[in-house]
C-alpha cells in the first residue's frame, strides 16, 4: 500500500480553504492509502503563541479532522511534538538544505515581510516539513497550492541526501487538487483564505454559525457586471465564490452558471450561503460529539505510538548513513 503524509498547523480555527484544499482529499485517500496525518504543532511555534490557546487548538484541530471524516481506525492521526524523531531529522535536513534554497521560499518571504522580529524557525520551517515527510517513506503528499514549493524542496533534499550518503529516503510527490487548491479570501480575492486573516469577513471557519456564514457571504466582494459566469482572469472574486459553491454543493460550475443565468448576485449569494451551511452542518455536529467524548485524545495517543514505530527505523537509518553512532537506539 502506498504511503500518504500531510500536516495541518494548529494556528487557529480551520477554514473552508483547509477543508476544500486539503482535508476533504485526506478523507478520500484514507480508503486506498496508508495515511499519516499530523497536527504540526512545532510548526506553529515559529510565531509566538499563547500556551493555553495552543494546547486547546492542537486537540481541536485533530477533532475537526476527525469530524470531517478521518477515521483513526484507518489512518494514523497524531501530534508532531509527540514524536521526537521530527525534531531530530529536522536538524539533519537543516544541514542538508542551503541558505539560498531556504531564502527562495515564497512563504518565508511573505510571512517575514514587514515584521520587526522573525524567528530562525520561520526561516528553517521547510526543513522541519521535509523531515515530517521523509520520516514515513512517503509516496504522496496531498496539499493545497501554497505548499507545493515546500514539498518540492523535500524532494530535492531527499535526492541530495541519497546521492551524498547512499539510498536512504524515498522521494515523495506532491498531489494538488485540480480545483479548490487555492481558495481565496472573501474580502480580497488576490490573497488566499487564511486562518490568520486580519479581515474578520475574509475567512469562513468550519465552526462558524449559520448567521456568521450568511453575513460573510453577503459581504463577500464581487466583480463588476451582473452575470454569473466563471471567468477567473476578469472576475476573480466570482470565480472563487463559484469554486466554493461547486465544491460545497457538489455541483459542476457549468451547471451553476445555468442555474443562475439571468439571476443576480443576491440570489446567487443566497444559494452559496445555503450550500456552505449544508456542507459544514454534519462536520459541526460530529465535532461537538467528538469534543465531548474524550475519543480524540485516545486516538492521538494511539496515533503517536504508530507514528513512532514507523519513523524510528527511518531516523536510525539516516543517522547511520551520516556516521552518527545510534548508541541508544539498539
Ligand atoms: P495550514 O493551515 O497552513 O496548515 O494548511 C493546511 C493545509 O490546507 C495545507 O495543505 C494547505 O495547502 C491547505 N490550505 C490552506 N489554506 C488553503 C486555501 N486557502 N485554499 C486551499 N488550500 C489551503
Ligand atoms: N507547512 C504546511 C502548511 O502550512 C503544514 C505541514 C507541515 C505539512 N508539515 C507537513 C504539509 C508535511 C504536508 C506535509 O500547510
Amino acid at each position: 500500500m502506498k504511503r500518504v503524509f500531510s500536516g495541518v498547523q494548529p494556528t487557529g480555527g480551520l477554514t473552508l480553504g483547509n477543508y476544500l484544499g486539503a482535508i476533504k482529499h485526506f478523507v478520500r485517500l484514507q480508503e486506498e492509502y496508508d495515511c499519516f496525518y499530523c497536527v504540526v504543532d512545532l510548526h506553529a511555534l515559529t510565531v509566538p503563541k499563547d500556551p493555553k490557546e495552543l494546547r486547546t487548538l492542537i486537540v481541536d484541530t485533530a477533532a475537526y479532522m476527525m469530524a470531517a471524516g478521518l477515521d483513526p481506525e484507518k489512518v494514523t492521526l497524531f501530534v508532531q511534538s509527540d514524536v521526537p524523531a521530527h525534531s531530530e531529522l529536522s536538524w539533519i535536513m537543516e544541514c542538508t538544505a542551503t541558505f539560498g534554497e531556504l531564502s527562495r521560499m515564497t512563504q518565508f518571504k511573505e510571512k517575514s515581510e514587514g515584521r520587526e522580529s522573525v524567528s530562525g524557525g520561520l526561516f528553517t520551517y521547510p526543513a522541519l516539513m521535509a523531515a515530517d515527510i521523509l520520516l514515513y517513506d512517503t509516496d504522496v503528499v496531498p496539499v493545497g497550492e501554497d505548499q507545493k514549493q515546500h514539498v518540492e524542496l523535500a524532494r530535492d533534499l531527499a535526492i541530495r541526501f541519497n546521492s551524498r550518503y547512499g539510498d536512504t529516503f524515498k522521494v515523495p510527490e506532491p498531489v494538488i487538487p485540480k480545483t479548490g487548491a487555492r481558495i481565496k479570501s472573501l474580502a480580497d480575492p488576490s490573497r488566499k483564505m487564511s486562518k490568520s486573516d486580519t479581515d474578520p469577513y475574509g475567512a469562513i471557519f468550519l465552526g462558524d454559525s449559520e448567521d456568521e456564514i450568511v453575513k460573510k457571504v453577503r459581504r463577500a466582494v464581487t466583480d463588476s457586471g451582473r452575470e454569473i459566469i466563471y471567468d477567473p482572469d476578469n472576475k476573480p472574486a466570482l470565480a472563487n465564490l463559484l469554486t466554493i459553491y461547486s465544491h460545497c454543493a457538489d455541483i459542476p460550475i457549468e451547471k451553476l452558471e445555468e442555474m443562475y443565468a439571468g439571476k443576480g448576485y443576491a440570489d446567487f449569494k443566497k444559494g452559496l450561503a445555503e450550500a456552505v451551511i449544508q456542507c459544514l452542518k454534519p462536520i459541526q455536529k460530529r465535532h461537538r460529539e467528538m469534543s465531548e467524548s474524550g475519543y480524540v485524545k485516545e486516538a492521538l495517543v494511539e496515533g503517536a505510538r504508530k507514528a513512532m514505530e514507523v519513523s524510528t527505523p527511518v531516523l536510525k537509518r539516516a543517522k547511520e548513513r551520516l556516521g552518527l553512532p545510534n548508541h541508544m537506539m539498539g
Side-chain angles (χ1 to χ4, degrees):
M1 225 190 203
K2 289 212 166 178
R3 178 80 45 79
V4 164
F5 185 97
S6 200
V8 178
Q9 294 194 63
T11 39
L14 292 176
T15 69
L16 200 55
N18 291 131
Y19 178 63
L20 300 179
I23 296 169
K24 198 173 161 185
H25 305 282
F26 297 176
V27 175
R28 193 170 40 80
L29 291 166
Q30 73 182 340
E31 305 301 334
E32 288 172 49
Y33 292 85
D34 180 20
C35 298
F36 284 70
Y37 295 125
C38 185
V39 178
V40 290
D41 55 350
L42 298 173
H43 278 102
L45 300 180
T46 49
V47 176
K49 292 273 164 348
D50 171 49
K52 235 170 104 187
E53 203 180 319
L54 180 60
R55 192 171 293 130
T56 309
L57 277 171
I58 291 167
V59 179
D60 201 51
T61 301
Y64 268 115
M65 290 167 81
M66 286 166 62
L70 289 182
D71 177 357
E73 301 279 322
K74 294 183 184 158
V75 307
T76 304
L77 181 64
F78 70 106
V79 178
Q80 189 184 32
S81 66
D82 277 332
V83 182
H86 289 252
S87 309
E88 290 190 50
L89 188 63
S90 176
W91 175 252
I92 294 171
M93 287 299 123
E94 282 180 45
C95 297
T96 309
T98 66
F99 183 82
E101 251 166 356
L102 293 171
S103 308
R104 283 193 291 276
M105 295 293 120
T106 55
Q107 186 172 302
F108 172 72
K109 288 193 228 169
E110 279 164 25
K111 287 200 174 176
S112 57
E113 206 178 75
R115 270 181 197 265
E116 219 168 82
S117 157
V118 174
S119 72
L122 194 66
F123 183 66
T124 57
Y125 172 118
L128 174 59
M129 179 160 160
D132 297 341
I133 296 167
L134 301 183
L135 271 174
Y136 295 87
D137 287 332
T138 301
D139 295 287
V140 281
V141 187
V143 281
E145 185 67 46
D146 62 323
Q147 296 303 314
K148 187 167 177 235
Q149 195 187 25
H150 291 159
V151 181
E152 280 165 355
L153 177 66
R155 277 178 66 81
D156 292 344
L157 298 184
I159 293 168
R160 184 173 310 148
F161 190 102
N162 289 348
S163 76
R164 274 189 196 157
Y165 304 106
D167 215 16
T168 309
F169 297 118
K170 190 161 228 177
V171 180
E173 291 281 346
V175 275
I176 295 165
K178 282 196 191 72
T179 66
R182 194 174 180 83
I183 300 293
K184 316 282 174 35
S185 160
L186 299 186
D188 175 1
S190 69
R191 287 185 294 120
K192 74 164 185 172
M193 184 182 281
S194 154
K195 290 169 185 148
S196 49
D197 199 326
T198 44
D199 189 314
Y201 293 95
I204 292 180
F205 292 96
L206 300 192
D208 278 353
S209 68
E210 294 191 12
D211 280 356
E212 283 167 321
I213 294 169
V214 169
K215 225 182 269 168
K216 287 179 183 180
V217 169
R218 206 180 287 148
R219 283 235 191 176
V221 299
T222 49
D223 313 278
S224 53
R226 298 193 65 232
E227 249 185 313
I228 307 296
I229 47 162
Y230 184 76
D231 180 0
D233 292 333
N234 299 308
K235 292 173 169 266
L238 180 58
N240 185 43
L241 299 181
L242 275 163
T243 304
I244 294 173
Y245 198 152
S246 167
H247 282 279
C248 286
D250 221 355
I251 301 175
I253 288 182
E254 309 83 74
K255 186 86 201 298
L256 290 172
E257 287 173 332
E258 275 171 37
M259 278 164 58
Y260 288 99
K263 295 188 180 153
Y265 277 122
D267 281 332
F268 173 74
K269 283 185 164 183
K270 224 164 134 185
L272 170 60
E274 190 53 28
V276 174
I277 289 167
Q278 291 311 325
C279 171
L280 296 187
K281 212 180 214 169
I283 300 178
Q284 294 180 345
K285 181 167 174 278
R286 279 198 298 271
H287 176 260
R288 273 192 301 277
E289 292 162 3
M290 208 70 80
S291 304
E292 285 156 14
S293 70
Y295 182 46
V296 180
K297 281 199 183 163
E298 260 172 54
L300 292 175
V301 172
E302 178 54 20
R305 194 194 59 71
K306 280 201 273 176
M308 233 181 266
E309 209 173 274
V310 174
S311 58
T312 304
V314 181
L315 175 64
K316 192 174 165 204
R317 195 163 79 209
K319 289 175 73 179
E320 248 160 41
R321 295 275 201 272
L322 287 163
L324 302 173
N326 275 327
H327 287 141
M328 306 304 285
M329 283 178 103

